[in-house]
Amino acid sequence: MTTLHSSLPLLPSSSSSSSSSSQSSSSSSFSLPNMPLIPPKPNKSLLHKHPLYAPTQSNLSLQIKEKIVCLEIMGIDSGKALAKNPSLHTTTLDSIQSTISFLRSKGIQQKDLKKIFGMCPKILTSDIAADLIPIFDFLAQDLQVPFHNLRKVINKCPRLLASSARDQLKPALFYLQRLGFRNLESLAENDAVLLVSSVEKTLIPKLRFLEERLEVSKEEAVGMVVRCPSLFTFSIENNLKPKLEYLVGEMERKVEEVKEFPQYFAFSLEKRIKPRHLEIVKRGLGKEMGLPLMLISTDHEFTQLINPNQ
């Protein structure tokens, strides 16, 4: 079988003698920073079990096999990565190496790559000059993220590296700032997911939902999302709508309560809101307990609240 790409580190098999082991290690070079050594031949028994090594695809090119090995060593599901990013079939190992080296020059560590590339395999084939550099410029200049915080911000939201700085990140930041988001540090470290959300398809529709269903002005709706940015991350159909319907229908409370306490939508309907509401009803407390007290209190505190004599 042909040996792997010459730029990849080689490791002799366990059955090799110590002399041949020294020759192998001295004749190879590292291409991926701090990557574990790669065996010169993929294990055939393992490869045949891999979906990409089905008998019908036995003629996979050596280059593809090398890339599969590299992805798997980084802890990335190569099958999913190749399916989500078909460009991986044609990109070179040198190009992947360059991308990794560039990210590491920005403070990204080797152990971060599994999560980053696993979530967004598109990054593996990004053009450094056209795609990645503008993103890091945006983070440093527009979002004012200091270099030592880049790793933290990117690990929290790897999708930042798969987004267009010009077409996605900058328009989203501009929109959020117009709404009143002034704390850039908080936006970067806690709510960066808003920057990779579509303004037209995600942010605006959710703001309109709050306006219409809560019967509030746009200014009031904006005030709610500025106080509770996670409102922009919740699904209308799976979160906002059912929780609002439960509040009005089952709990028989007025929507004014969530205007004052928009964090209501951040609590689980099945695990927090319903059980605690049922406990309150069971003890005849009705609507005496406000939403903040009902939901924010710990389980022990809540028990004390509904059983004051215990």
Side-chain angles (χ1 to χ4, degrees):
M1 183 175 183
T2 311
T3 56
L4 289 177
H5 192 282
S6 60
S7 66
L8 293 174
L10 303 180
L11 179 68
S13 63
S14 58
S15 60
S16 301
S17 65
S18 59
S19 61
S20 62
S21 175
S22 329
Q23 289 176 350
S24 296
S25 60
S26 63
S27 63
S28 59
S29 61
F30 291 86
S31 66
L32 299 181
N34 296 333
M35 289 294 292
L37 295 178
I38 302 176
K41 294 182 180 181
N43 187 311
K44 290 183 179 180
S45 62
L46 293 177
L47 291 180
H48 288 165
K49 295 178 182 179
H50 195 285
L52 293 178
Y53 279 85
T56 55
Q57 300 182 29
S58 58
N59 293 325
L60 281 174
S61 70
L62 177 62
Q63 188 186 65
I64 290 292
K65 293 178 182 179
E66 290 174 337
K67 277 181 276 193
I68 289 173
V69 172
C70 289
L71 293 172
E72 294 291 345
I73 283 181
M74 282 191 285
I76 301 166
D77 186 322
S78 59
K80 289 183 179 179
L82 287 162
K84 289 183 177 179
N85 184 4
S87 296
L88 276 170
H89 287 270
T90 55
T91 196
T92 65
L93 283 170
D94 287 339
S95 176
I96 294 176
Q97 175 196 349
S98 297
T99 298
I100 292 174
S101 297
F102 174 77
L103 293 180
R104 295 196 64 178
S105 74
K106 296 298 183 180
I108 306 302
Q109 297 182 12
Q110 187 73 34
K111 60 184 178 182
D112 304 326
L113 300 180
K114 176 181 177 180
K115 176 182 178 180
I116 293 171
F117 294 147
M119 289 182 63
C120 305
K122 174 185 175 183
I123 302 168
L124 284 161
T125 56
S126 295
D127 183 287
I128 293 175
D131 302 324
L132 296 180
I133 289 178
I135 291 171
F136 281 96
D137 286 345
F138 166 82
L139 293 175
Q141 298 167 17
D142 298 76
L143 209 53
Q144 298 178 22
V145 178
F147 183 87
H148 66 270
N149 272 357
L150 286 175
R151 177 176 176 245
K152 178 181 179 181
V153 171
I154 290 169
N155 270 314
K156 278 201 169 185
C157 186
R159 287 170 57 196
L160 285 167
L161 297 183
S163 303
S164 166
R166 183 192 66 184
D167 300 329
Q168 173 60 51
L169 302 180
K170 289 189 177 185
L173 177 60
F174 178 70
Y175 176 75
L176 292 169
Q177 288 180 313
R178 283 184 59 193
L179 291 183
F181 285 79
R182 299 284 181 260
N183 190 333
L184 294 180
E185 181 180 359
S186 179
L187 185 58
E189 296 187 6
N190 303 316
D191 303 301
V193 67
L194 301 185
L195 297 169
V196 299
S197 302
S198 168
V199 173
E200 295 78 13
K201 296 179 181 179
T202 302
L203 304 184
I204 291 177
K206 289 177 183 178
L207 193 62
R208 285 177 179 166
F209 174 85
L210 295 174
E211 289 180 57
E212 295 169 2
R213 294 300 298 270
L214 299 183
E215 298 180 351
V216 298
S217 66
K218 181 177 180 180
E219 289 70 24
E220 289 176 303
V222 167
M224 290 175 64
V225 297
V226 170
R227 295 202 317 275
C228 184
S230 57
L231 285 174
F232 268 152
T233 68
F234 300 144
S235 163
I236 291 177
E237 294 300 324
N238 300 324
N239 188 308
L240 300 178
K241 187 181 290 186
K243 287 179 182 177
L244 189 57
E245 290 174 350
Y246 188 81
L247 177 88
V248 176
E250 298 298 324
M251 298 173 72
E252 298 181 344
R253 292 178 182 248
K254 296 182 178 180
V255 294
E256 280 73 15
E257 288 197 64
V258 292
K259 294 179 189 177
E260 298 299 322
F261 184 63
Q263 294 85 350
Y264 164 79
F265 293 104
F267 293 94
S268 168
L269 181 59
E270 297 299 329
K271 297 180 180 179
R272 191 80 155 196
I273 299 173
K274 283 185 179 181
R276 292 199 172 185
H277 165 64
L278 293 175
E279 283 295 324
I280 289 174
V281 171
K282 185 174 165 183
R283 283 164 175 73
L285 298 177
K287 308 182 190 83
E288 296 174 17
M289 189 181 295
L291 289 178
L293 190 59
M294 168 185 163
L295 298 173
I296 292 178
S297 58
T298 65
D299 289 340
H300 176 71
E301 291 169 341
F302 181 74
T303 300
Q304 293 297 313
L305 287 170
I306 60 178
N307 299 290
N309 298 323
Q310 289 188 4

